[in-house]
Amino acid sequence: NRKPKGVRTEACDIKRFLEYTEESGLSAGSLLHNAVPIFYVPENRIVTTINERIETSLLKGHPSCRADKRERAAYLLALRLGLRSCDIYDLKFSDINWETGLLRIVQKKTKTEIEIRMDAETQNALIDYILHERRNMESEYIFVTAFGHIARKTGCCRSLHSRMDGNLWEQLPNDGLHILRRTFASRLLNSGTVLPVISAALGHSGRDSVKPYLSTDEEKMRRCSIGLDGIQCRRE
């Protein structure tokens, strides 16, 4: 049940291993690695986003949650600025100019430097977390727990589903912070922002990385669809 990209990665690893056995004399021949073909299979996917009702439920106060303010600040950084979770939880106090609201980081995934001006809601949420919920400890990182800086692999926040009212959790297609980043990009697209600007806002290393977000513009997708006029259909 592996995706094409995963199969290709494993094939590359096998090919490199066979090349190693040939170079080190562990295999009799020198052509064994050619038996492993490497194919690039383009994978088209539909980008999922959240609606306004889910957003309202995520951002409203949840007093019973010990990390309520921390989670809200993290959600807004993804939803309003389009940051990845790894960059959110690696944020340092030195990354933000609190007077101008300017945030400057080097993205962990692409090593691309981005500079973003925070909106008032996001900046206020960060300040609220720092002043009223963040543990008093000497750390350069903004987001911390009782054990120090939050490592991405430990899980950054609770399940998004846990903040959903009623049966809204059934409408949440994904449960990670990345869906908020995708929502940020799709809203820019729907507002008429051109693709190079969206790509720059997301900090993508290549412009083609933003193309999957085209699937979120339902109005333009309908214009591209082909009608079924003239196609006979039988009901059985």
Side-chain angles (χ1 to χ4, degrees):
N1 296 324
R2 297 300 305 275
K3 293 183 178 180
K5 187 176 181 180
V7 174
R8 182 172 182 265
T9 299
E10 292 180 355
C12 288
D13 291 339
I14 296 173
K15 197 178 188 75
R16 282 196 293 266
F17 171 73
L18 293 177
E19 289 175 343
Y20 163 75
T21 62
E22 294 166 359
E23 293 171 358
S24 58
L26 297 176
S27 67
S30 60
L31 301 175
L32 188 58
H33 68 278
N34 292 326
V36 183
I38 303 298
F39 294 104
Y40 174 69
V41 181
E43 184 179 4
N44 297 321
R45 58 187 174 85
I46 301 298
V47 172
T48 53
T49 59
I50 65 170
N51 56 40
E52 293 183 359
R53 290 184 62 197
I54 292 178
E55 178 183 340
T56 300
S57 185
L58 282 176
L59 298 181
K60 80 173 189 178
H62 290 257
S64 61
C65 174
R66 291 184 179 181
D68 179 44
K69 297 182 186 299
R70 187 183 75 196
E71 288 181 358
R72 186 173 187 276
Y75 294 159
L76 284 169
L77 286 167
L79 193 58
R80 302 285 188 261
L81 276 65
L83 297 184
R84 295 183 179 90
S85 59
C86 58
D87 295 322
I88 291 174
Y89 292 101
D90 277 351
L91 270 182
K92 301 176 182 178
F93 287 98
S94 58
D95 293 330
I96 300 175
N97 185 326
W98 297 97
E99 293 183 359
T100 62
L102 201 63
L103 182 149
R104 181 185 290 113
I105 62 170
V106 175
Q107 290 190 318
K108 191 172 183 178
K109 180 178 179 180
T110 62
K111 310 303 179 186
T112 303
E113 184 180 43
I114 58 172
E115 185 177 272
I116 311 173
R117 190 173 302 279
M118 292 189 293
D119 60 290
E121 183 182 17
T122 303
Q123 189 169 2
N124 288 338
L126 270 174
I127 294 172
D128 188 27
Y129 159 66
I130 293 169
L131 295 179
H132 302 118
E133 189 180 89
R134 184 182 185 272
R135 291 181 179 271
N136 187 18
M137 63 172 59
E138 294 295 330
S139 175
E140 61 180 336
Y141 294 99
I142 294 176
F143 293 98
V144 294
T145 67
F147 304 100
H149 170 230
I150 298 177
R152 187 184 180 205
K153 63 181 180 181
T154 62
C156 306
C157 63
R158 298 180 305 156
S159 162
L160 299 186
H161 285 130
S162 63
R163 296 178 73 100
M164 296 291 96
D165 292 329
N167 63 349
L168 275 179
W169 65 271
E170 297 177 351
Q171 302 178 27
L172 189 63
N174 298 101
D175 200 26
L177 280 184
H178 205 70
I179 194 174
L180 305 182
R181 171 177 162 88
R182 293 196 292 262
T183 301
F184 164 79
S186 66
R187 288 178 178 175
L188 286 179
L189 181 66
N190 293 336
S191 67
T193 307
V194 295
L195 292 183
V197 174
I198 299 176
S199 182
L202 293 172
H204 282 156
S205 55
R207 293 186 177 182
D208 290 341
S209 300
V210 78
K211 287 185 177 180
Y213 294 94
L214 293 170
S215 65
T216 64
D217 194 333
E218 294 183 3
E219 182 180 347
K220 290 182 180 178
M221 290 286 282
R222 289 193 184 97
R223 297 177 187 173
C224 296
S225 62
I226 300 175
L228 299 179
D229 297 338
I231 299 177
Q232 296 182 359
C233 177
R234 295 185 304 172
R235 297 185 180 273
E236 296 180 355

